[in-house]
Amino acid sequence: MSDRSSILLSIRPEIPSAKITDGMSENERFQNLTLRPILKLQNFMFVAVFKNYIAKHKNSFYELTLEKRLDFIENAIQKDIKFRNSLKGIVIGQFTLEEYELYIKNSSALNKRMMSMVVDRLKDQIQLFEQKVLV
């Protein structure tokens, strides 16, 4: 294992709830061993990137109801290909070479899992996107 790989693996948070079983699919195993820890590690980056996305879209997000804000998050990630690709890059850049080799074998299915997890993560933290009121 290269120095880069061992360093990347050493900084990832452990997720005790991410169980690994013998009957698990390769994609599910990749999700639990690689994607979940990376998404947790990169959480603050996802929040910052999404706040910037809101600003670039003239803060229209803040005028929406809660339900529409949740839709906004999903649409931003599912339909804005440039934004989606930048989020994928934030994750893929944290892969070890060995993980990248596994990823490219089934990138389409893994991308779907990855983006679904990012959507859920941002929706679960929607309170972080409240506009600050200056007094």
Side-chain angles (χ1 to χ4, degrees):
M1 185 178 304
S2 73
D3 284 346
R4 180 184 182 277
S5 293
S6 56
I7 291 168
L8 286 172
L9 294 173
S10 74
I11 63 170
R12 288 186 193 163
E14 287 188 31
I15 304 179
S17 62
K19 303 292 182 209
I20 305 300
T21 63
D22 291 338
M24 186 176 274
S25 73
E26 191 172 300
N27 286 348
E28 194 173 358
R29 181 179 301 277
F30 189 84
Q31 172 182 301
N32 288 340
L33 287 175
T34 303
L35 295 179
R36 286 185 190 280
I38 290 173
L39 293 179
K40 187 171 183 176
L41 175 71
Q42 295 292 77
N43 188 65
F44 291 114
M45 181 63 78
F46 292 128
V47 170
V49 167
F50 193 70
K51 283 181 177 179
N52 183 57
Y53 185 86
I54 291 169
K56 284 190 173 193
H57 287 82
K58 301 183 176 136
N59 294 321
S60 62
F61 177 86
Y62 299 118
E63 298 163 11
L64 303 173
T65 64
L66 176 60
E67 186 176 332
K68 295 284 186 192
R69 285 181 182 193
L70 295 172
D71 291 342
F72 185 97
I73 291 169
E74 191 149 354
N75 286 332
I77 293 172
Q78 299 302 337
K79 296 184 176 162
D80 187 331
I81 302 304
K82 283 184 180 180
F83 184 60
R84 180 182 175 93
N85 286 340
S86 76
L87 294 173
K88 281 193 269 185
I90 290 169
V91 176
I92 294 168
Q94 293 293 319
F95 287 174
T96 65
L97 186 56
E98 298 81 11
E99 289 167 338
Y100 182 71
E101 289 169 357
L102 285 172
Y103 164 79
I104 58 176
K105 289 180 186 173
N106 203 2
S107 61
S108 182
L110 291 172
N111 283 338
K112 286 179 186 170
R113 282 178 186 260
M114 183 191 313
M115 290 300 105
S116 175
M117 292 166 71
V118 171
V119 166
D120 291 345
R121 182 167 278 280
L122 291 175
K123 284 181 174 181
D124 289 346
Q125 301 177 92
I126 197 157
Q127 72 279 5
L128 297 177
F129 304 113
E130 289 301 318
Q131 209 169 18
K132 302 273 190 273
V133 179
L134 298 176
V135 183

